[in-house]
Amino acid sequence: MADCIFCKIVAGEIPSEIVFKDDRVTAFRDIHPVAPTHILIVPNKHIASINELQPEDEGLMGYLFTVERKLAEQEGIAQSGFRSIINTGPDSGQEVHHLHLHLIGGQRMRHPMG
Ligand code: AMP
């Protein structure tokens, strides 16, 4: 997608602090971290949001979480805990329309519900 900032990061067209990359996903540090660890894990192919997922993306979505687990270990937060967030659509506050999994940790967080 020509105007997608995360497609440009995946393509190496704009700078970012990439912590993992392979043929399916790219992970990079969030430019405005909300915790000591704040990494975004994105599919390399453009998928705007969960609303656009197709049946053939099932494996890819599982793989996003496998990469997240490895990165949580790498960051030293697997045991202390972390939060996984995927925002979808206006009510969630989704700002970038390229599906991304937030891996957030390294500090105690308040419960987000209620
Ligand atoms: P969301 O609200 O779920 O769409 O989250 C978008 C996230 O992308 C925010 O946490 C932003 O700080 C982050 N972000 C936006 N532009 C960049 C960028 N160029 N590099 C890294 N993170 C970014």
Side-chain angles (χ1 to χ4, degrees):
M1 278 277 288
D3 286 339
C4 173
I5 193 163
F6 287 177
C7 282
K8 288 181 178 164
I9 288 175
V10 168
E13 291 169 7
I14 62 170
S16 68
E17 194 181 337
I18 290 177
V19 293
F20 178 83
K21 186 167 175 38
D22 69 5
D23 59 332
R24 286 188 282 175
V25 310
T26 301
F28 50 92
R29 295 197 189 277
D30 196 291
I31 203 165
H32 295 127
V34 298
T37 292
H38 189 170
I39 292 170
L40 302 175
I41 306 161
V42 311
N44 290 345
K45 77 167 182 176
H46 185 83
I47 303 171
S49 78
I50 285 179
N51 281 335
E52 280 71 36
L53 280 177
Q54 300 301 314
E56 62 267 25
D57 298 323
E58 279 181 18
L60 178 60
M61 288 306 289
Y63 186 56
L64 283 186
F65 287 96
T66 298
V67 170
E68 182 185 39
R69 177 178 62 73
K70 289 179 183 164
L71 289 173
E73 284 171 9
Q74 205 171 291
E75 293 284 310
I77 59 170
Q79 300 311 315
S80 53
F82 55 90
R83 184 164 289 159
S84 312
I85 298 174
I86 300 177
N87 290 319
T88 304
D91 278 357
S92 76
Q94 183 182 8
E95 290 175 351
V96 178
H97 298 282
H98 181 131
L99 196 155
H100 49 282
L101 171 61
H102 295 256
L103 163 58
I104 298 169
Q107 69 182 29
R108 189 84 180 177
M109 287 172 268
R110 281 179 306 214
H111 202 284
M113 289 183 266

